[in-house]
């Protein structure tokens, strides 16, 4: 399986064009059938040069309606994590593995993740975060690094990768919330370090 950083030609072209070109390409994209049923493509929120990037799964109903990632119930919980982490407004960004909402919020297929991956790869290339926080299994799959819950590693580009629970999963399993905050405490030194 390919890892992030092993740039395809598509990604290299997108990186050369910068954010406006990337956005245009995402909005024009018809590379899979998901594009036929969406209201809005959902690209990112937060800083263009963040210290920390959170990677979610895919847009849900609210995100599809507004074009803004994590603007619903799961987003409220993610906001709580960001506040708990003590990140300033210019220190974080939120993106998804898919830019289109899967019908009825089903889990993205492997094919959809692969098709959409150059967009995520390009976002990461342009944002150059120090830390990437994978929110759940889909983000882990898309990023291509195997991690346990609450585990971290440094990838080939020197970026710290951390895998934590997806906030939507915690809505249904509130008992795991303490574990999530323990992970955030454990890695606090990463984002609190002076850069
Ligand atoms: N869940 C996600 O994974 N992403 C969103 O943008 C919203 C909910």
């Amino acid at each position: 399986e390919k890892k992030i950083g092993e740039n395809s030609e598509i990604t290299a072209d997108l990186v050369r064009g910068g954010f406006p070109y990337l956005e245009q390409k995402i909005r024009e994209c018809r590379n899979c059938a998901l594009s036929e049923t969406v209201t809005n493509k959902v690209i990112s929120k937060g800083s263009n040069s963040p210290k920390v990037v959170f990677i979610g799964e895919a847009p849900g109903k609210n995100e599809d309606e507004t074009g803004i990632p994590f603007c619903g119930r799961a987003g409220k919980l993610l906001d709580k994590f960001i506040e708990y982490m003590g990140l300033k407004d210019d220190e974080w960004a939120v993106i998804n593995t898919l830019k289109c909402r899967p019908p009825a919020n089903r889990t993205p297929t492997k094919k959809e993740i692969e098709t959409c991956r150059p967009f995520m790869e390009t976002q990461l290339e342009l944002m150059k975060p120090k830390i990437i926080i994978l929110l759940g299994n889909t983000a882990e799959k898309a990023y291509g690094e195997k991690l346990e819950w609450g585990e971290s590693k440094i990838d080939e580009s020197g970026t710290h990768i951390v895998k934590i629970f997806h906030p939507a999963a915690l809505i249904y399993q509130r008992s795991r919330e303490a574990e999530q905050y323990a992970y955030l405490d454990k890695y606090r030194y990463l984002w609190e370090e002076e850069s």
Side-chain angles (χ1 to χ4, degrees):
E1 206 160 87
K2 257 197 302 188
K3 286 189 177 181
I4 289 288
E6 293 168 24
N7 271 347
S8 64
E9 268 171 52
I10 309 168
T11 304
D13 172 64
L14 292 171
V15 169
R16 269 194 300 277
F19 284 113
Y21 181 67
L22 172 65
E23 268 203 42
Q24 183 198 330
K25 289 294 181 184
I26 293 173
R27 296 198 194 286
E28 289 172 355
C29 179
R30 299 287 181 273
N31 292 341
C32 84
L34 295 182
S35 61
E36 293 164 18
T37 52
V38 299
T39 309
N40 285 296
K41 304 287 179 109
V42 178
I43 302 178
S44 71
K45 73 174 174 186
S47 169
N48 275 346
S49 54
K51 191 186 259 188
V52 182
V53 172
F54 298 86
I55 307 181
E57 183 173 289
K61 187 168 185 290
N62 295 299
E63 291 75 21
D64 181 64
E65 279 166 11
T66 60
I68 301 164
F70 282 93
C71 65
R73 231 176 126 201
K76 284 248 161 41
L77 199 46
L78 181 58
D79 291 345
K80 261 180 70 183
F81 302 158
I82 292 171
E83 200 191 327
Y84 184 80
M85 291 165 75
L87 296 174
K88 299 191 200 93
D89 287 349
D90 61 349
E91 289 183 325
W92 59 268
V94 180
I95 63 173
N96 281 305
T97 65
L98 298 191
K99 310 312 180 215
C100 290
R101 180 192 183 199
N105 302 341
R106 63 158 173 74
T107 305
T109 65
K110 200 169 170 224
K111 186 90 204 319
E112 286 160 356
I113 292 172
E114 268 167 32
T115 304
C116 208
R117 200 168 182 253
F119 292 142
M120 181 186 81
E121 244 180 16
T122 303
Q123 288 178 305
L124 295 171
E125 278 281 318
L126 292 173
M127 290 177 177
K128 295 201 183 310
K130 244 184 75 186
I131 301 141
I132 291 172
I133 302 200
L134 304 173
L135 300 171
N137 289 322
T138 302
E140 177 198 33
K141 234 180 267 169
Y143 196 80
E145 293 276 0
K146 280 300 285 170
L147 288 158
E148 302 297 328
W149 297 116
E151 194 191 350
S152 83
K153 63 168 72 165
I154 300 177
D155 76 1
E156 282 148 34
S157 66
T159 313
H160 293 270
I161 317 297
V162 181
K163 182 188 169 191
I164 65 172
F165 300 125
H166 190 293
L170 289 183
I171 291 173
Y172 299 101
Q173 275 195 293
R174 282 241 109 101
S175 57
R176 303 194 90 167
E177 231 183 277
E179 217 177 310
Q180 182 88 325
Y181 286 102
Y183 300 151
L184 298 180
D185 286 337
K186 180 174 176 189
Y187 297 113
R188 186 173 291 277
Y189 74 97
L190 288 178
W191 48 89
E192 287 194 344
E193 224 168 61
E194 287 306 314
S195 39

